[in-house]
Amino acid sequence: QVQLVESGGGLVQPGGSLSLSCAASGFNGRSYRTYDMSWTRQVPGKELEWLSTIGTSGGGLRTTYTDSVKGRFTISRDDSRNTLSLQMNNLTLEDSGRYYCTLGASLWGRRGQGTQVTVSS
């Protein structure tokens, strides 16, 4: 069974940066490299929000972002290590939330326990 473990969250001041990582394991048959991968975010009291997706190497590693993070966040993957990353720059108060590594391009794909990001002065 696929497992996703996020890390790298923490407390950061507005304007600061954080780098999130996700370690994926448990792939049988179909390998990690064949999956699109995404980051999503949950803020208490709000709906789960899709942030970014990266496609497969076979698809040219195409990346997409929601408008609110475009130009500030960068998604990447390392298929040799089965990892997914999210570099977050120029963080704002509105970026606080629990961040999830998500299998596939769907908002509701399998995800890990998440990592908490708190942006506060």
Side-chain angles (χ1 to χ4, degrees):
Q1 180 169 324
V2 172
Q3 290 189 326
L4 303 169
V5 179
E6 301 92 338
S7 63
L11 175 65
V12 63
Q13 292 185 339
S17 298
L18 276 178
S19 181
L20 305 184
S21 295
C22 171
S25 62
F27 294 90
N28 293 314
R30 184 179 175 186
S31 64
Y32 171 77
R33 65 177 62 248
T34 68
Y35 286 92
D36 293 342
M37 294 296 296
S38 302
W39 285 98
T40 59
R41 177 172 70 193
Q42 180 76 66
V43 177
K46 295 187 177 181
E47 294 183 352
L48 184 66
E49 178 184 17
W50 169 81
L51 299 178
S52 179
T53 296
I54 186 166
T56 64
S57 59
L61 294 175
R62 181 173 178 262
T63 58
T64 51
Y65 300 91
T66 192
D67 285 347
S68 65
V69 307
K70 201 173 293 183
R72 300 188 299 121
F73 290 11
T74 302
I75 190 172
S76 61
R77 66 190 296 165
D78 184 342
D79 291 342
S80 67
R81 299 185 176 188
N82 286 9
T83 58
L84 180 73
S85 298
L86 185 68
Q87 176 64 41
M88 306 186 295
N89 298 326
N90 195 21
L91 287 160
T92 70
L93 299 177
E94 289 71 31
D95 292 318
S96 292
R98 194 157 192 87
Y99 285 68
Y100 297 95
C101 168
T102 303
L103 192 68
S106 168
L107 184 63
W108 302 107
R110 180 183 295 275
R111 64 188 190 190
Q113 295 298 309
T115 186
Q116 182 67 34
V117 171
T118 302
V119 184
S120 175
S121 55

